[in-house]
């Protein structure tokens, strides 16, 4: 069972360091340029996540929430900006991405940020997770890539905090996977659109 936690609206008053603002602006420019030539169907609806707000939320979580440990996982990390932010905040961050082209961009981000983020090419869904979906056409299903967990020797329940930006209509599925496979006490942060950050904790 998972419980929703309110994120105070005042977190948007948190100071974002100047250097981080500049890094985010540069990454948004790279994402925009990339989108102009990427031809996958989902990308037509894609709006980049609000990385400033995510920095504010992650710094608030780190300061105020009980965390099971220091491991942070970005499901479908794309450009790995959020994993880089988490790493800058002191988390041991891992990003999993199925698309090689995106993972290359993620590696570039990690280099530019000079953060020790581990990037893994693979499927972020744990074995057996696909059966939790009530719609077989969800974009995160059916990836042929190897399980990322087998490659890193960790399971989903080894992570204290998981972040995802689900494609539209996938948020319930992400929550169900977290509920089934995360450790009791772990947290899930979802970006579901501008000003729509959702935070969950799996009940012990
Ligand atoms: C909406 S984008 C979010 C990108 C990034 N997390 C962010 O917040 O900016 C979703 C990402 O998840 C990746 N993805 C979707 N399903 C996946 C799966 N089963 N395993 C690994 N990556 C997946 C997609 O390729 C895409 O990069």
């Amino acid at each position: 069972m998972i419980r929703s936690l309110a994120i105070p609206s005042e977190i948007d008053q948190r100071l974002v360091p100047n250097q981080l603002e500049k890094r985010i602006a540069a990454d948004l420019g790279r994402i925009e340029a990339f989108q102009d030539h990427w031809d996958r169907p989902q990308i037509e609806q894609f709006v980049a996540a609000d990385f400033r707000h995510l920095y504010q939320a992650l710094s608030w979580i780190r300061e105020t929430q009980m965390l099971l440990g220091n491991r942070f996982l970005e499901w479908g990390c794309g450009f790995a900006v959020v994993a880089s932010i988490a790493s800058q905040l002191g988390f041991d961050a891992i990003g999993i991405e199925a698309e090689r082209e995106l993972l290359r961009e993620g590696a570039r981000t990690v280099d530019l940020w000079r953060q020790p983020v581990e990037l893994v090419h693979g499927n972020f869904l744990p074995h057996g997770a696909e059966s939790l979906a009530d719609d077989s056409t969800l974009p995160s299903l059916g990836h042929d890539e190897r399980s990322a967990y087998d490659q890193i020797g960790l399971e989903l329940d080894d992570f204290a905090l998981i972040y995802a930006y689900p494609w539209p209509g996938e948020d319930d599925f992400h929550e169900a996977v977290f509920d089934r496979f995360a450790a009791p006490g772990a947290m899930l942060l979802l970006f579901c659109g501008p000003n729509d950050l959702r935070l969950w904790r799996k009940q012990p």
Side-chain angles (χ1 to χ4, degrees), residues 2-131:
I2 61 174
R3 186 165 63 90
S4 165
L5 299 174
I7 301 178
S9 56
E10 309 84 72
I11 65 158
D12 65 3
Q13 308 295 315
R14 287 185 163 239
L15 185 75
V16 180
N18 211 9
Q19 186 217 7
L20 206 127
E21 294 267 19
K22 284 189 188 148
R23 274 260 50 84
I24 289 173
D27 293 339
L28 285 170
R30 290 172 50 226
I31 291 171
E32 205 175 313
F34 182 87
Q35 273 177 260
D36 287 346
H37 80 267
W38 217 47
D39 57 359
R40 301 295 162 93
Q42 291 96 340
I43 213 75
E44 284 161 26
Q45 324 158 25
F46 183 75
V47 179
D50 183 342
F51 298 124
R52 289 185 81 257
H53 202 199
L54 281 158
Y55 167 80
Q56 291 165 324
L58 287 173
S59 65
W60 173 78
I61 289 170
R62 198 161 169 80
E63 282 170 30
T64 63
Q65 300 299 304
M66 282 267 281
L67 290 166
L68 287 179
N70 206 38
R71 283 204 189 106
F72 172 96
L73 176 62
E74 182 169 3
W75 273 347
C77 64
F79 271 61
V81 179
V82 183
S84 298
I85 291 171
S87 176
Q88 178 135 335
L89 284 166
F91 286 100
D92 299 325
I94 295 182
I96 300 173
E97 175 54 54
E99 299 283 351
R100 279 198 189 280
E101 211 180 331
L102 281 170
L103 205 66
R104 269 195 292 279
E105 296 296 336
R108 174 97 183 109
T109 305
V110 166
D111 274 357
L112 290 166
W113 283 67
R114 295 175 203 264
Q115 289 299 324
V117 176
E118 184 178 353
L119 295 179
V120 186
H121 177 241
N123 192 337
F124 68 66
L125 292 176
H127 295 291
E130 299 212 351
S131 64

Side-chain angles (χ1 to χ4, degrees), residues 118-174:
E118 184 178 353
L119 295 179
V120 186
H121 177 241
N123 192 337
F124 68 66
L125 292 176
H127 295 291
E130 299 212 351
S131 64
L132 297 173
D134 48 19
D135 173 356
S136 61
T137 65
L138 295 180
S140 63
L141 301 178
H143 284 271
D144 293 335
E145 287 74 18
R146 284 176 60 200
S147 157
Y149 306 99
D150 293 351
Q151 299 176 58
I152 56 181
L154 294 169
E155 302 295 338
L156 191 61
D157 64 5
D158 289 313
F159 291 89
L161 176 59
I162 295 146
Y163 160 75
Y165 172 3
W167 292 120
E170 290 204 303
D171 44 323
D172 288 354
F173 174 55
H174 280 50

